[in-house]
Amino acid sequence: MAKTAYRKPKKKVHVFDIVNYIVFILIGLLVLVPIWKVVVDSFNAVGVYQFRLWPEDFTLDGYKTIIHTQRLYRPFINSVITTVLGTFLGLLLSTLGGYVLIQFDMPGRNFFAYFLLFTMIFSGGMIPEYLVMKQLHLVNSMWILVVKHGMNVYNLVLMRNFFEGIPASLFEAAEIDGCSPMGIFFKIVLPLSKAALASIGLMFAVTVWNDYSTVKIYITNPDQVNFQYQLRNMIMDGDTPTTQYSVSQNTLYYAAIVCAILPFMALYPFLQKYFVKGVNIGAVKE
């Protein structure tokens, strides 16, 4: 008896799918085209306001000027230190706070949860915040970037929602085996939360790295400013360095912008597989 060949049914193409692809392609172009323009102009020796797909006169003098500008070294080191410590502190407080809030038998659990949510809606304002930072001796110190961003209620809520998605049977099995609450946290919760740690950690790192307003308000000592603040002064105030390289102002500006975003452009591919999963934290409920 002859066998009939199996034909896979053709997938029906819906109009919504076509429109959806077109919309997201346009959104992607709106994001990528300005970035590509900045990258191209950073290598272009002709500093004119025109859009080009490729540099008209290729040069590396913009990047060489930034690399050989010694007054950028200290702010860059400050940014690296504050970003690493600020991310670590933020993840520490968010994970510990989120783990506490999923303890359903903890007295006052709902009170503390609503109290934290209240701070997302209402804040004391700039002047009370300045007075608090002054009492903590953080004014005119780069450590204010670490402390100020150490607690983010939004990220804490995201972490709590992720922890709530872990099956309760794992906690019960660990308790039966005699594991302590902190043992459960370090041996079960954290190993299962790599996606959340990567995505939320990236949020903390970007926030601390790009924080310019805090430095502008609280820091006047040039040895305590971060990389973003120093680049802003160099670009907006015309405080450009003088070196042996011949480079236009626009080329130098665009090269500075690329240097500011380059660390996270290099870091993102390594965190992408965790970040794609982590952005859905709390989006799906059982």
Side-chain angles (χ1 to χ4, degrees):
M1 187 174 180
K3 294 183 178 180
T4 58
Y6 173 75
R7 294 183 179 181
K8 187 177 180 180
K10 294 183 179 180
K11 186 178 180 181
K12 187 177 180 180
V13 179
H14 299 280
V15 177
F16 174 79
D17 295 332
I18 298 176
V19 176
N20 199 24
Y21 284 129
I22 294 175
V23 170
F24 277 98
I25 290 174
L26 293 177
I27 294 175
L29 291 176
L30 289 175
V31 175
L32 293 177
V33 169
I35 297 177
W36 180 251
K37 180 184 186 305
V38 171
V39 173
V40 170
D41 290 344
S42 68
F43 293 105
N44 192 6
V46 181
V48 294
Y49 293 99
Q50 294 181 3
F51 179 78
R52 297 184 178 87
L53 293 177
W54 307 103
E56 180 179 345
D57 186 7
F58 184 84
T59 182
L60 293 174
D61 289 347
Y63 295 97
K64 292 178 181 179
T65 301
I66 294 176
I67 292 174
H68 289 85
T69 304
Q70 296 184 359
R71 59 180 172 175
L72 290 176
Y73 295 171
R74 181 65 179 269
F76 182 79
I77 295 175
N78 292 343
S79 290
V80 172
I81 294 174
T82 54
T83 300
V84 172
L85 295 180
T87 303
F88 174 78
L89 180 62
L91 286 177
L92 179 65
L93 297 179
S94 296
T95 52
L96 291 176
Y99 182 64
V100 169
L101 292 178
I102 65 170
Q103 308 302 317
F104 294 98
D105 56 346
M106 183 187 72
R109 171 180 172 270
N110 292 331
F111 169 77
F112 290 111
Y114 286 121
F115 182 80
L116 290 172
L117 292 175
F118 180 83
T119 62
M120 295 180 61
I121 304 173
F122 301 97
S123 64
M126 183 181 297
I127 295 178
E129 180 182 291
Y130 184 89
L131 295 176
V132 171
M133 296 300 175
K134 185 177 181 180
Q135 291 295 324
L136 295 175
H137 303 286
L138 293 174
V139 175
N140 219 20
S141 173
M142 69 177 184
W143 303 115
I144 191 174
L145 295 171
V146 178
V147 176
K148 183 179 178 182
H149 300 292
M151 173 54 69
N152 187 299
V153 179
Y154 177 75
N155 291 339
L156 188 150
V157 173
L158 290 180
M159 191 69 72
R160 183 202 64 179
N161 293 342
F162 188 88
F163 290 165
E164 288 180 346
I166 300 176
S169 57
L170 293 177
F171 298 101
E172 296 173 357
E175 291 178 357
I176 294 174
D177 291 338
C179 193
S180 64
M182 292 308 298
I184 296 175
F185 176 73
F186 286 108
K187 296 179 181 179
I188 296 179
V189 175
L190 289 185
L192 294 176
S193 305
K194 292 180 180 179
L197 293 174
S199 57
I200 294 179
L202 186 62
M203 295 179 189
F204 275 115
V206 172
T207 300
V208 179
W209 177 267
N210 290 328
D211 192 353
Y212 157 78
S213 59
T214 299
V215 180
K216 179 69 174 178
I217 296 172
Y218 293 98
I219 299 177
T220 57
N221 186 352
D223 294 333
Q224 300 293 317
V225 300
N226 62 357
F227 191 60
Q228 303 289 343
Y229 180 82
Q230 195 69 16
L231 284 179
R232 186 267 177 194
N233 290 342
M234 187 178 72
I235 295 175
M236 300 301 296
D237 298 342
D239 189 13
T240 55
T242 56
T243 60
Q244 69 272 24
Y245 303 105
S246 177
V247 58
S248 66
Q249 295 291 333
N250 290 334
T251 303
L252 183 60
Y253 295 163
Y254 291 125
I257 295 173
V258 173
C259 289
I261 65 176
L262 186 61
F264 290 97
M265 292 178 61
L267 182 63
Y268 180 77
F270 299 98
L271 299 176
Q272 183 178 6
K273 61 179 181 180
Y274 300 110
F275 187 76
V276 172
K277 182 180 178 181
V279 294
N280 295 321
I281 296 173
V284 179
K285 294 292 183 182
E286 294 183 357

